[in-house]
Amino acid sequence: MPVLDLLDLPAATPPYTPLVGLDLGEKTIGVAVSDATRFVASPLELIRKTKFTDDAAALFRAMESRNASGIVIGLPVNMDGTEGPRAQSSRAFARNLLRLSEDLPIAFWDERMSSMAVNRMLIDEMDMTRARRADVVDKAAAAWILQGALDRLRNA
């Protein structure tokens, strides 16, 4: 199965199963999960990157533990709408996941400014220190990405 358009994701996944959202960083993968009705996204875990097969195994375990049926990956598009090296890296990650599980429904969501918005929220609203933010920002950014995708699906 190729990477899907976000609006095609619901038809490719069983109803009343959660979706997983990913924020792919250089050293970590923030993971979030939706509820079964796909209404609310919540931070789930942080995977510290080692090698791809280990990272994918950790992701698949997290999905299995929540009975998740599809993935929304944040796509770091430049402000002018072009795709740079980080976006290409996200696309390569999706292709590699599909090599391990070819029927896994995957879609992208434009994540422009998600980490900045999450950092601002953690500083302004939660008065969180820099050290504490480092532990939660990638998971929170994954939830931000997934929530944006869920909201788009609901309003489509």
Side-chain angles (χ1 to χ4, degrees):
M1 173 181 299
V3 172
L4 302 170
D5 181 271
L6 180 68
L7 296 179
D8 295 329
L9 194 59
T13 56
Y16 301 106
T17 57
L19 297 175
V20 164
L22 302 180
D23 178 48
L24 303 175
E26 289 182 27
K27 298 178 183 176
T28 61
I29 301 170
V31 183
V33 66
S34 74
D35 62 323
T37 63
R38 301 178 184 173
F39 194 77
V40 176
S42 302
L44 180 61
E45 69 178 85
L46 187 68
I47 297 171
R48 301 226 180 259
K49 285 185 171 180
T50 55
K51 61 181 189 177
F52 177 78
T53 53
D54 294 341
D55 301 343
L59 173 60
F60 292 150
R61 281 192 302 274
M63 290 182 69
E64 188 175 308
S65 74
R66 298 296 179 131
N67 195 33
S69 62
I71 299 176
V72 175
I73 298 175
L75 189 64
V77 179
N78 295 325
M79 291 307 291
D80 65 0
T82 62
E83 292 186 13
R86 287 190 59 232
Q88 294 308 312
S89 177
S90 295
R91 290 191 183 280
F93 185 88
R95 281 191 306 273
N96 290 334
L97 280 180
L98 288 172
R99 286 189 184 111
L100 296 177
S101 180
E102 58 189 43
D103 60 342
L104 179 65
I106 297 175
F108 290 110
W109 179 252
D110 183 345
E111 70 161 62
R112 273 182 268 196
M113 304 192 15
S114 62
S115 292
M116 185 184 341
V118 167
N119 265 308
R120 184 169 293 134
M121 177 190 67
L122 294 174
I123 293 167
D124 295 345
E125 296 177 21
M126 302 182 85
D127 196 29
M128 201 173 278
T129 66
R130 181 181 303 266
R132 179 73 179 109
R133 277 196 320 271
D135 291 339
V136 300
V137 71
D138 290 329
K139 292 187 294 189
W144 184 280
I145 290 163
L146 182 55
Q147 188 64 56
L150 295 174
D151 292 347
R152 174 68 179 107
L153 289 172
R154 196 171 37 262
N155 295 316

